[in-house]
């Protein structure tokens, strides 16, 4: 049995775990990243979600020297449109545009495919000599003491670390081993994530189209072979999402076109379709002795308003900022992290969960409330500014 020593053990190689390894590695810490398998880094097998990164996430990537590598694959989002529809086929009742008020300001967000992000991050990690990538073994268990954690992996190897970062997703084994419980709400919905091509240009506009079952969101991607392309997140009750996933490509493209209210012309499916269950999850604490939870190990948010991974990268920025080489993983370090993140995480999980309940409903009174809410947020400048600031990671 090997027993290595490292500063930080990161469990999980989703975007959050990979980014954590790159940021702490760049900062000079010795990092071991362990996961059952490396993420797929190609278009057909990789993660079909995209992420619209907001300013704080871009700042984190820039500080770690990663944004210059990601930027060539990013598509700027200049405006967010919210379109409220009713009936079937959907009839547009109202639409509002959200954009930055000040001229010359940067885009609202930058959108990239997740498989592409994983590829760029893995390339960066492979060139960091102080980061060890331990594939084929997940986190199994640990014993913590005041000065260190002794971690056992699923291949029976073990190592000592001053800090264990649980980035091992919504069913986090680190969270469970640390004895941290989580509040979970299930909505009976699933999100389909896929890409489409379309004849109309997206003009760097992301559009959330509301009807019932949850939003249908078009998010601009770079053109593919000169053809306008968008990522799509389509939320539905679970059985309906599975029915749509099983349709042949032509029938699926036709239904997606109808659901999009024809905004970009006929849509053509251009990728596999991945399905994700929609839940909210909030862990009751972000830390335990020598342990910090980040990202979906700590919170899961429905995919509305590009909040999930952006919130996760805010966790990482706070954990990094509150670390010092001497105090890494100490109670002081972890308290600073917990205090700086707990309120924001709780607020975002509650707000997006509530918004999802409101917007998925097909009941006329709730659809009217949704429309009134949209108008109030869009048309009252102080409310509009407050919502945009919160949505942009402020
Ligand atoms: C359809 C959809 C669209 C989205 N769009 C956006 C968006 O535009 N903007 C945004 O900010 N967010 C978005 N999100 C949210 C975002 O995609 C997720 O929050 C994010 O990808 C989750 O990353 P993660 O690294 O926390 O978890 P995961 O990607 O689930 O990674 C967890 C990792 O842990 C590994 N693992 C599991 N068990 C163990 C173990 N025992 N030991 C070690 N490793 C283990 C897994 O193999 C995996 O590699 C979206 C989500 C969905 C569903």
């Amino acid at each position: 049995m090997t027993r290595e020593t490292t500063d930080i053990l990161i469990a999980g190689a989703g975007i959050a775990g990979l980014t954590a390894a790159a940021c702490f590695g760049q900062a000079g810490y010795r990092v071991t990243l362990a996961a059952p398998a490396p993420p797929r880094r190609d278009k057909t097998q990789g993660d079909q979600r995209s992420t619209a990164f907001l300013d704080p996430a871009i700042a984190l990537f820039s500080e770690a020297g990663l944004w210059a590598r990601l930027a060539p694959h990013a598509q700027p989002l200049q405006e967010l449109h919210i379109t409220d529809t009713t009936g079937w086929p959907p009839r547009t009742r109202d639409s509002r545009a959200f954009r930055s008020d000040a001229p010359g300001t940067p885009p609202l967000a930058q959108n990239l495919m997740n498989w592409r992000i994983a590829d760029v991050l893995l390339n960066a990690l492979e060139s960091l000599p102080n980061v060890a990538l331990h594939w084929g073994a997940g986190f199994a268990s640990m014993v913590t003491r005041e000065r260190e954690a002794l971690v056992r992996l699923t291949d029976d190897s073990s190592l000592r670390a001053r800090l264990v970062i649980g980035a091992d997703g919504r069913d986090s084994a680190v969270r469970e081993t640390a004895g941290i419980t989580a509040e979970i709400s299930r909505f009976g919905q699933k999100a389909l994530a896929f890409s489409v091509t379309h004849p109309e240009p997206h003009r760097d506009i992301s559009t959330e189209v509301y009807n019932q079952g949850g939003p249908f969101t078009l998010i601009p991607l770079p053109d593919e072979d000169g053809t306008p392309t968008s990522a799509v997140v389509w939320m539905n009750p679970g059985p309906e999402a599975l029915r749509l996933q099983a349709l042949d490509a032509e029938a699926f493209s036709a239904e997606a076109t109808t659901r999009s209210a024809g905004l970009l012309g006929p849509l053509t499916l251009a990728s596999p379709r991945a399905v994700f269950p929609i839940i909210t999850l909030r862990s009751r604490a972000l830390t335990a002795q020598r342990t910090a939870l980040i990202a979906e190990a700590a919170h899961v948010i429905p995919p509305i308003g590009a909040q999930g991974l952006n919130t996760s990268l805010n966790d990482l920025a706070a954990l990094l900022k509150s670390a010092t080489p001497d105090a890494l993983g100490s109670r002081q370090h972890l308290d600073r992290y917990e205090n700086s993140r707990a309120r924001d995480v709780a607020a975002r999980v509650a707000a997006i969960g509530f918004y999802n309940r409101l917007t998925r409903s097909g009941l006329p009174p709730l659809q009217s409330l949704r429309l009134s809410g949209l108008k109030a947020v869009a048309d009252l400048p102080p409310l509009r500014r407050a919502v945009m600031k919160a949505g942009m990671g402020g």
Side-chain angles (χ1 to χ4, degrees):
M1 185 187 284
T2 58
R3 187 158 297 183
E4 295 163 20
T5 302
T6 186
D7 290 327
I8 303 172
L9 173 87
I10 298 173
I15 308 290
L18 295 172
T19 310
C23 290
F24 277 101
Q26 281 290 352
Y29 294 95
R30 286 173 307 153
V31 176
T32 298
L33 178 122
R40 301 298 301 241
R41 46 211 289 188
D42 59 289
K43 189 183 163 190
T44 47
Q45 304 280 333
D47 188 340
Q48 296 303 324
R49 291 172 288 184
S50 74
T51 302
F53 288 117
L54 305 172
D55 280 352
I58 294 170
L60 179 73
F61 283 129
S62 300
E63 276 160 34
L66 295 166
W67 184 245
R69 298 181 187 216
L70 291 166
H73 309 290
Q75 185 67 33
L77 307 192
Q78 301 290 0
E79 289 183 25
L80 171 64
H81 289 192
I82 298 191
T83 296
D84 196 82
T85 71
T86 184
W88 193 264
R91 201 166 29 78
T92 300
R93 291 199 294 183
D94 217 324
S95 191
R96 289 289 191 277
F98 295 80
R99 64 182 77 86
S100 177
D101 290 337
T105 47
L108 296 178
Q110 298 272 359
N111 193 43
L112 288 96
M113 287 304 296
N114 280 16
W115 64 264
R116 183 72 85 175
I117 305 165
D119 182 44
V120 169
L121 293 174
L122 280 167
N123 283 334
L125 287 174
E126 281 158 6
S127 64
L128 282 174
N130 50 331
V131 176
L133 302 173
H134 192 121
W135 303 128
F139 172 98
S141 62
M142 68 178 164
V143 177
T144 59
R145 307 194 184 108
E146 199 175 326
R147 305 186 72 81
E148 65 177 12
L150 182 59
V151 179
R152 196 173 58 76
L153 301 179
T154 51
D155 62 359
D156 244 1
S157 62
S158 62
L159 73 171
R160 296 174 189 283
R162 294 161 67 205
L163 172 64
V164 175
I165 299 181
D168 50 345
R170 51 180 72 183
D171 300 319
S172 172
V174 174
R175 185 179 71 226
E176 196 179 331
T177 306
I180 302 174
T181 54
E183 274 170 33
I184 302 176
S185 299
R186 298 179 199 282
F187 298 93
Q189 292 165 291
K190 292 187 195 297
L192 281 159
F194 54 97
S195 309
V196 291
T197 55
H198 37 83
E200 302 294 332
H202 49 56
R203 296 183 293 129
D204 298 345
I205 297 170
S206 179
T207 307
E208 288 184 6
V209 186
Y210 285 91
N211 185 269
Q212 58 176 304
F216 180 101
T217 307
L218 290 151
I219 315 129
L221 287 173
D223 287 359
E224 235 176 65
D225 301 325
T227 308
T229 305
S230 295
V232 179
V233 177
W234 186 0
M235 285 166 58
N236 273 293
E240 174 64 359
L242 297 177
R243 181 190 73 80
L244 289 165
Q245 189 189 29
L247 290 177
D248 67 43
E250 200 178 325
F252 180 80
S253 299
E255 289 223 25
T257 301
T258 306
R259 180 62 182 80
S260 72
L263 289 175
L264 297 173
L267 306 177
T268 304
L269 181 66
S271 75
R273 287 159 275 182
V275 170
F276 298 87
I278 301 302
I279 61 168
T280 58
L281 177 151
R282 184 172 70 86
S283 71
R284 291 199 168 85
L286 299 177
T287 60
Q289 191 173 51
R290 293 280 155 193
T291 309
L293 302 178
I294 65 168
E296 290 208 340
H299 46 78
V300 182
I301 300 174
I304 300 176
Q307 295 296 307
L309 191 54
N310 280 287
T311 305
S312 303
L313 296 185
N314 291 345
D315 301 342
L316 174 56
L319 188 63
L320 186 64
K321 194 170 151 213
S322 52
T324 58
D326 289 343
L328 182 78
S330 64
R331 196 61 255 172
Q332 296 87 316
H333 174 204
L334 295 173
D335 283 349
R336 282 196 292 269
Y337 170 58
E338 178 100 41
N339 293 338
S340 63
R341 291 300 301 144
R343 267 184 59 195
D344 181 64
V345 165
R348 278 176 211 275
V349 172
I352 303 287
F354 171 75
Y355 187 72
N356 183 42
R357 281 184 208 283
L358 180 66
T359 55
R360 73 185 167 152
S361 177
L363 294 174
L366 284 183
Q367 288 207 345
S368 299
L369 186 60
R370 179 178 79 198
L371 184 59
S372 318
L374 167 63
K375 287 180 175 166
V377 169
D379 300 345
L380 297 174
L383 185 56
R384 177 193 175 92
R385 272 196 294 276
V387 168
M388 280 191 72
K389 189 170 173 223
M392 299 297 292

